[in-house]
């Protein structure tokens, strides 16, 4: 299949496919007249890349999965290098979750303090909560 058909079937653009080709993730096979030529295995590679990127993997992090598929394995995560990328990504995500939990705790403390202060203070009204005045 040609590049336009592959792009359509993969749900991407020809520009993206050329970029993947430049990065060595997609093979650069050419027909006799110079057109790029792809097959179902290339579509499978692209789907693997897309799923991983949807999970938050950087493009370069998809390389071991692509290499694993190219080596003839039934799945891109059947190789030790792919498993290592999964482990690194999980560690990264765990770190981000920890940071988000810390931020959430800080925001909750600030909210609690603000609500307590608002309950103790005389009840001045904020501009956004003051009743609208009408003019006759």
């Amino acid at each position: 299949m040609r590049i336009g058909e592959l792009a359509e079937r993969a749900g991407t653009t020809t520009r993206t496919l050329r970029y993947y080709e430049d990065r060595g993730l997609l093979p650069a096979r050419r027909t006799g007249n110079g057109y790029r030529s792809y097959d179902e295995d290339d579509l499978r590679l692209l789907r693997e890349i897309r799923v991983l990127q949807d999970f938050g993997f950087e493009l370069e992090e998809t390389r071991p999965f692509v290499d694993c598929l190219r080596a003839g394995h039934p799945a891109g995560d059947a190789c030790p290098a792919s498993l290592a990328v999964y482990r690194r990504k999980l560690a990264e995500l765990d770190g981000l979750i920890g940071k988000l939990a810390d931020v959430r705790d800080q925001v909750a403390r600030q909210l609690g303090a603000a609500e307590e202060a608002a309950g103790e203070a005389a009840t001045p009204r904020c501009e956004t909560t003051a009743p609208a005045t009408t003019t006759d």
Side-chain angles (χ1 to χ4, degrees):
M1 79 185 86
R2 294 195 18 206
I3 192 168
E5 181 183 351
L6 180 64
E8 184 177 323
R9 290 183 62 193
T12 191
T13 65
T14 57
R15 182 176 180 184
T16 298
L17 298 183
R18 287 185 199 101
Y19 179 71
Y20 291 172
E21 183 182 308
D22 289 343
R23 303 288 303 178
L25 291 168
L26 192 61
R29 291 184 303 274
R30 301 282 181 155
T31 62
N33 59 4
Y35 290 118
R36 288 173 172 87
S37 176
Y38 302 98
D39 59 23
E40 292 298 320
D41 288 337
D42 298 322
L43 180 59
R44 191 166 161 223
L45 292 176
L46 289 171
R47 287 182 174 153
E48 182 82 6
I49 292 168
R50 182 135 193 172
V51 166
L52 291 168
Q53 286 194 303
D54 287 348
F55 289 162
F57 286 69
E58 297 293 326
L59 184 60
E60 193 56 35
E61 290 175 312
T62 69
R63 187 174 300 281
F65 299 86
V66 169
D67 291 344
C68 191
L69 286 172
R70 280 189 182 159
H73 294 277
D77 57 7
C79 298
S82 303
L83 298 177
V85 173
Y86 275 155
R87 288 184 191 99
R88 281 193 306 270
K89 183 55 77 175
L90 279 176
E92 177 186 324
L93 292 170
D94 287 341
L96 291 171
I97 289 168
K99 288 178 185 177
L100 285 172
D102 291 344
V103 170
R104 187 198 183 286
D105 290 345
Q106 291 173 9
V107 171
R109 283 193 300 275
Q110 285 295 114
L111 173 61
E115 288 175 335
E116 186 177 314
E120 294 175 0
T123 53
R125 296 188 149 207
C126 294
E127 291 177 20
T128 58
T129 61
T133 57
T134 58
T135 55
D136 294 314

